[in-house]
Amino acid sequence: MSVPMVSVKLNIPPLRTNGVLRPRLVERLNEGIHRRLTLISAAAGFGKTTLASEWATGCGRPAAWLSLDEGDQDPARFLTYLVSALQTVGVKIGEGVLGAFRSPQPPEAEWAAAALLNGIAAFPNPFVLVLDDFHLVSGVRPIREVLVRMLDRLPPQMHLAIATRTDPPFPLARMRVRDQLTELRAEDLRFTSGETATFLRRTMGLSHLSQDLAAELENRTEGWAAGLQLAAVSMQGSNDPDGRIAAFSGSHRYVMDYLLEEVLERQSENVQRFMLRTSILDRMCGPLCDAVLLPGEGDGEDALAGPAASGREMLEYLERANLFVVPLDPDRRWYRYHHLFADMLRRRMERNRRGAAEIHVRASCWHEDQGLEWEAFRHAAAARDVDRAARLAEGQGMPLIFRRTFVPVLNWLEDLTREERNARPSLWVMYASALLMAGRIPDVEPRLQAAEACLQGKEPDDRLRDLIGHIAAIRAALAVSRHRADAILDETRRALESLHPDNLPVRASTVWAAGYAYQLQGDHAAAGEAYAKALSISQTIGHAVIAMMAALGIGHIRLAENRLDAAEASYRLALELAGDPPLPAACEAYLGLARIGFARNDLEDAERHGLQCVRLARHLEHTDRSVAGKVFLAGVKLARGDAEDAAAMLSQAENAARRQGIENLAPEIESELARVRLHLSQADASPAAGKPVARKRPVLVEPLSSRELEVLRLIALGLSNAEIGERLYLALSTVKGHNRIIFDKLQVKRRTEAVARARELGLLQNHT
């Protein structure tokens, strides 16, 4: 289950019939389409969106479009919309990938980029992807990292275009050197004399304006499109155009403030009121505008917009009058205000906080009626209507934190005062659940205790009992991370006794936790029954993560019973539910398949799946799965008679556990670890024919890539991260990312340790 999409974000904004075409700029964009990236970067009001729309419409390739807004700062939401945009041109991204992006904790950047690139590479036709208003999300690290990784390996059939107010933190210098970047900036976007004259006379209807005045206006505004439009609107009907033009001076900021106020004040009272009331909307259509206007505010005669104009009629009037609305779809149902104009209107609305809050509530109600739960929640939060926002966050059968609006809900919860949470104990529980999903384990229990303190003395009813059950379910999840079977079962019993029968998402995760506890105790029948029930519930409600984990659990039980074919079928189902490429948590399925290969004495298959487990597990935090994979691989090497390599692998597993601060390994890992240690000690005590065992060079679980070897060799030469970036044309963040992977593969924490380890492995023998 996911939050409905706002499809208008995927439409290429239609061009105005009387707009100014810019063939000189379109030609430059077409000339650079063979490169990887087009960057249209300039301050607000330079016509970036209009130019990108003109080019995308006529570039000769299918064009995918995504209009970004502040809500897309949630990486899960951004990735989901990105996939939807790609699908509009026919790129096929697997449902498993989309499910992974919609999960509460989206996969790491490397996995996400690989999933997107696989789909793009399989698409046979050239196409363009345009990301408009990218500055709204460029500061979000996971989003930035996904796109940087995509640009590093972008298939030739895709061209990425970005329109932004600020340069994105991409390796632009490197891309320039490699001829991978086309750039258009403010100096390119400024209107020429001819474009200015066409804009003023044809678009703005100032046919009487002399050539000298047009040239003076261009000079005053420096070809700034928004300034020209503001000036033209303020001059319409003026008897003194020369005086108007003379008033335009100073910076863009000064000109903008002056002209915006001038333009707004010249409108009728009804038009001003409409603009101010609707300015809180990111996107607007006629019915939505009708909904947010307060009773009686649309009444009365208006000389321009007509008597009692509807929202749709008012939007059509604003477009005809060039009053800074931008159509977002070919049917002109949806519009937005020009960003500059919206900013000014919202600043004015801030003077009337009570009125703004009421409008946000009305917008929230309308979006809820349309099934747009995320937008409804966002407006309720903006209104500081805590009760309404809380109800919307709880969702209809599936809380928003279990979907792709996880980050905004957590941010909202953290922004509330303690008093606001105390008045609504359910918010403490929601807060604890969100923190658990964020991996902030130490922060969870204090929130649960705060919830319990608020519940003391309250008369029990169905809602309170469900809340108590949810608290117990979260504590069961905490106990799962510590592999404490008795504690898990105590909490799951409390949870299932109290949870409402309709609270299926929490009941599914609780039943799965009980299955894990039974598995720890060796009660395979009870564990299998619990996992099967969790799988059934999860598939019914679309809870993909719990469904995958339940399938894994069933696989573990069948493997323990030595029913290898049944176990393999369950692990394959888990991989199917995990998507292609699979979620990092699917490392457990690969480890299960590796153990099946080992049981069948197929050591090659066992090692192959074991390595797949370790590669995926590297993307998980606060887990012992990487350790489990390495301990298993040590056992495989031991079975091949490779005691030295087995010892090296075991050492890597133990180092990984220490580095991640893992104190309590799962029992099956402890058991396997003890078995491998025992066999190694026996091998050390029994050298063949009394001869010493030949010392072999240590091995890596996963070899370094060619790029990682380049970085490692420069580290050994003493170069700083910045110097390595300059030498290899890499962004500083990319160099640091390579360092992290190199340290992980070498099982070290510092540069000096990495160099020493590399020499021990023979990776630097010809380079230092």
Side-chain angles (χ1 to χ4, degrees):
M1 190 178 206
S2 63
V3 179
M5 302 288 292
V6 181
S7 59
V8 72
K9 287 163 60 69
L10 308 179
N11 291 335
I12 300 175
L15 298 174
R16 297 180 59 161
T17 54
N18 60 346
V20 178
L21 298 179
R22 314 193 74 183
R24 64 184 178 89
L25 299 181
V26 169
E27 184 178 356
R28 284 187 57 184
L29 295 174
N30 284 334
E31 288 172 352
I33 204 167
H34 66 282
R35 302 185 178 104
R36 292 187 181 183
L37 175 65
T38 287
L39 179 64
I40 306 175
S41 179
F46 272 94
K48 300 182 295 295
T49 299
T50 303
L51 173 62
S53 175
E54 179 184 348
W55 175 62
T57 303
C59 69
R61 293 185 178 187
W65 185 282
L66 175 55
S67 296
L68 297 164
D69 55 50
E70 290 183 352
D72 299 317
Q73 292 174 4
D74 178 0
R77 176 182 163 98
F78 171 82
L79 290 170
T80 301
Y81 270 113
L82 184 60
V83 169
S84 298
L86 292 170
Q87 289 174 337
T88 63
V89 294
V91 176
K92 298 188 185 305
I93 307 290
E95 282 301 314
V97 174
L98 198 54
F101 290 166
R102 285 172 170 165
S103 66
Q105 286 184 291
E108 281 201 353
E110 185 65 37
W111 187 94
L116 292 168
L117 289 170
N118 286 343
I120 293 165
F123 188 65
N125 304 319
F127 71 97
V128 170
L129 169 64
V130 181
L131 302 179
D132 192 26
D133 288 328
F134 187 73
H135 56 276
L136 294 173
V137 302
S138 64
V140 182
R141 184 178 58 81
I143 293 174
R144 181 172 69 245
E145 289 181 349
V146 169
L147 291 177
V148 167
R149 283 167 169 77
M150 288 181 65
L151 283 169
D152 279 344
R153 307 190 295 274
L154 197 65
Q157 57 265 50
M158 175 175 152
H159 179 83
L160 176 63
I162 286 175
T164 176
R165 293 188 190 179
T166 58
D167 281 5
F170 295 169
L172 299 180
R174 184 186 74 196
M175 298 187 75
R176 289 188 194 102
V177 170
R178 296 180 177 179
D179 193 31
Q180 296 173 341
L181 175 65
T182 298
E183 298 173 85
L184 268 69
R185 299 187 173 277
E187 56 270 23
D188 305 302
L189 297 172
R190 298 184 195 280
F191 274 22
T192 64
S193 299
E195 289 169 339
T196 298
T198 301
F199 176 76
L200 293 172
R201 291 171 183 156
R202 187 174 72 186
T203 305
M204 301 305 298
L206 297 177
S207 56
H208 62 282
L209 201 65
S210 70
Q211 186 172 345
D212 289 343
L213 283 179
E216 179 63 17
L217 191 53
E218 179 205 345
N219 181 56
R220 292 278 183 170
T221 60
E222 300 178 358
W224 180 40
L228 284 168
Q229 184 175 357
L230 285 161
V233 172
S234 73
M235 290 167 59
Q236 288 172 341
S238 171
N239 295 322
D240 184 19
D242 294 88
R244 291 280 181 190
I245 292 175
F248 310 150
S249 62
S251 67
H252 282 170
R253 180 81 250 175
Y254 174 85
V255 172
M256 184 194 75
D257 288 343
Y258 169 80
L259 291 178
L260 285 171
E261 295 289 342
E262 186 83 0
V263 167
L264 185 63
E265 293 296 340
R266 288 171 58 84
Q267 306 310 312
S268 70
E269 186 177 342
N270 266 9
V271 172
Q272 286 190 49
R273 186 183 299 115
F274 178 90
M275 287 177 159
L276 288 168
R277 299 300 192 217
T278 55
S279 67
I280 60 111
L281 304 170
D282 290 333
R283 290 169 293 276
M284 50 193 173
C285 62
L288 175 55
C289 293
D290 292 334
V292 301
L293 290 174
L294 304 181
E297 288 193 337
D299 300 340
E301 180 74 27
D302 191 299
L304 295 174
S310 68
R312 180 174 180 80
E313 291 168 334
M314 190 67 84
L315 290 170
E316 290 172 349
Y317 162 72
L318 294 180
E319 185 182 11
R320 288 196 309 271
N322 295 306
L323 286 174
F324 304 98
V325 291
V326 179
L328 297 177
D329 63 315
D331 297 329
R332 282 169 157 73
R333 282 193 65 243
W334 286 90
Y335 293 81
R336 67 166 171 83
Y337 285 114
H338 189 291
H339 296 311
L340 290 172
F341 205 60
D343 290 344
M344 184 275 292
L345 293 171
R346 287 166 186 165
R347 285 198 301 271
R348 278 209 171 189
M349 275 302 297
E350 286 175 1
R351 304 171 192 170
N352 180 9
R353 291 187 180 275
R354 178 179 293 182
E358 185 170 354
I359 295 167
H360 275 297
V361 170
R362 287 173 169 268
S364 176
C365 293
W366 186 88
H367 283 102
E368 184 182 12
D369 290 342
Q370 307 307 309
L372 300 171
E373 293 173 274
W374 152 243
E375 283 73 15
F377 167 78
R378 188 178 64 81
H379 281 291
R384 298 293 300 188
D385 188 335
V386 180
D387 289 331
R388 179 172 183 79
R391 179 178 62 77
L392 289 165
E394 290 172 357
Q396 297 180 356
M398 179 75 78
L400 295 188
I401 61 170
F402 291 168
R403 296 186 252 174
R404 61 182 174 88
T405 47
F406 158 66
V407 173
V409 174
L410 178 56
N411 291 341
W412 169 70
L413 289 164
E414 292 185 320
D415 190 50
L416 295 177
T417 65
R418 189 175 187 86
E419 290 71 24
E420 286 172 324
R421 290 192 289 264
N422 285 343
R424 305 162 186 84
S426 63
L427 294 183
W428 282 115
V429 179
M430 187 185 298
Y431 195 4
S433 185
L435 290 168
L436 179 66
M437 292 178 178
R440 292 165 54 181
I441 304 298
D443 297 333
V444 175
E445 181 60 32
R447 273 68 182 182
L448 296 178
Q449 292 176 8
E452 290 174 327
C454 296
L455 293 174
Q456 286 183 0
K458 291 187 178 293
E459 190 68 28
D461 57 18
D462 285 350
R463 182 172 175 75
L464 187 144
R465 280 189 287 272
D466 186 68
L467 213 53
I468 292 171
H470 198 166
I471 291 171
I474 294 171
R475 286 201 171 112
L478 291 174
V480 165
S481 68
R482 302 182 184 105
H483 313 295
R484 295 168 51 192
D486 291 343
I488 296 170
L489 288 175
D490 287 344
E491 297 295 348
T492 55
R493 289 190 189 102
R494 291 190 190 98
L496 295 173
E497 287 171 1
S498 301
L499 284 168
H500 194 279
D502 293 338
N503 193 346
L504 295 180
V506 180
R507 293 188 76 87
S509 62
T510 304
V511 171
W512 174 87
Y516 182 68
Y518 291 131
Q519 181 184 338
L520 289 175
Q521 293 180 335
D523 189 343
H524 293 170
E529 184 180 345
Y531 285 142
K533 185 175 181 180
L535 178 62
S536 175
I537 296 172
S538 300
Q539 289 183 310
T540 299
I541 63 177
H543 202 328
V545 174
I546 294 297
M548 179 194 70
M549 293 171 66
L552 286 172
I554 294 171
H556 296 334
I557 297 303
R558 300 296 173 255
L559 181 59
E561 295 169 342
N562 204 33
R563 296 167 58 186
L564 301 186
D565 290 344
E568 182 177 4
S570 292
Y571 289 133
R572 299 287 181 195
L573 173 61
L575 287 174
E576 181 182 332
L577 292 167
D580 181 21
L583 280 167
C587 63
E588 194 76 18
Y590 284 118
L591 184 56
L593 292 172
R595 288 186 169 129
I596 291 172
F598 191 87
R600 290 170 174 165
N601 202 30
D602 187 344
L603 298 184
E604 183 178 342
D605 187 67
E607 186 169 41
R608 178 169 59 86
H609 283 121
L611 286 169
Q612 287 176 301
C613 166
V614 171
R615 290 191 190 103
L616 273 181
R618 195 174 68 220
H619 299 296
L620 295 171
E621 296 181 2
H622 311 296
T623 173
D624 57 13
R625 295 301 88 189
S626 175
V627 178
K630 291 172 182 177
V631 171
F632 172 80
L633 286 170
V636 172
K637 293 182 181 300
L638 195 60
R640 284 178 164 163
D642 217 341
E644 294 298 327
D645 283 357
M649 187 69 68
L650 196 65
S651 176
Q652 290 188 26
E654 292 167 335
N655 288 339
R658 282 194 295 271
R659 190 175 66 255
Q660 296 181 49
I662 300 172
E663 297 179 359
N664 300 308
L665 292 171
E668 75 273 10
I669 304 177
E670 292 280 12
S671 175
E672 195 162 15
L673 187 61
R675 179 181 62 80
V676 174
R677 281 175 178 158
L678 175 62
H679 285 293
L680 280 173
S681 66
Q682 292 172 345
D684 288 342
S686 307
K691 297 178 182 178
V693 177
R695 299 298 297 176
K696 295 178 64 177
R697 193 182 298 280
V699 296
L700 287 174
V701 176
E702 184 177 358
L704 299 181
S705 68
S706 58
R707 175 63 84 182
E708 289 158 2
L709 282 170
E710 281 185 281
V711 173
L712 177 60
R713 289 161 187 162
L714 294 177
I715 290 174
L717 292 174
L719 273 67
S720 68
N721 287 339
E723 290 169 333
I724 293 172
E726 291 176 5
R727 181 78 65 90
L728 299 178
Y729 301 107
L730 297 175
L732 183 61
S733 60
T734 304
V735 175
K736 291 179 178 179
H738 282 310
N739 287 351
R740 180 178 62 79
I741 294 173
I742 291 168
F743 290 1
D744 183 65
K745 289 182 177 180
L746 296 180
Q747 300 294 302
V748 298
K749 294 183 178 180
R750 300 176 183 86
R751 280 169 156 248
T752 53
E753 294 174 354
V755 172
R757 179 70 171 157
R759 286 183 176 136
E760 182 185 358
L761 292 164
L763 300 176
L764 297 174
Q765 55 189 0
N766 297 322
H767 301 276
T768 57

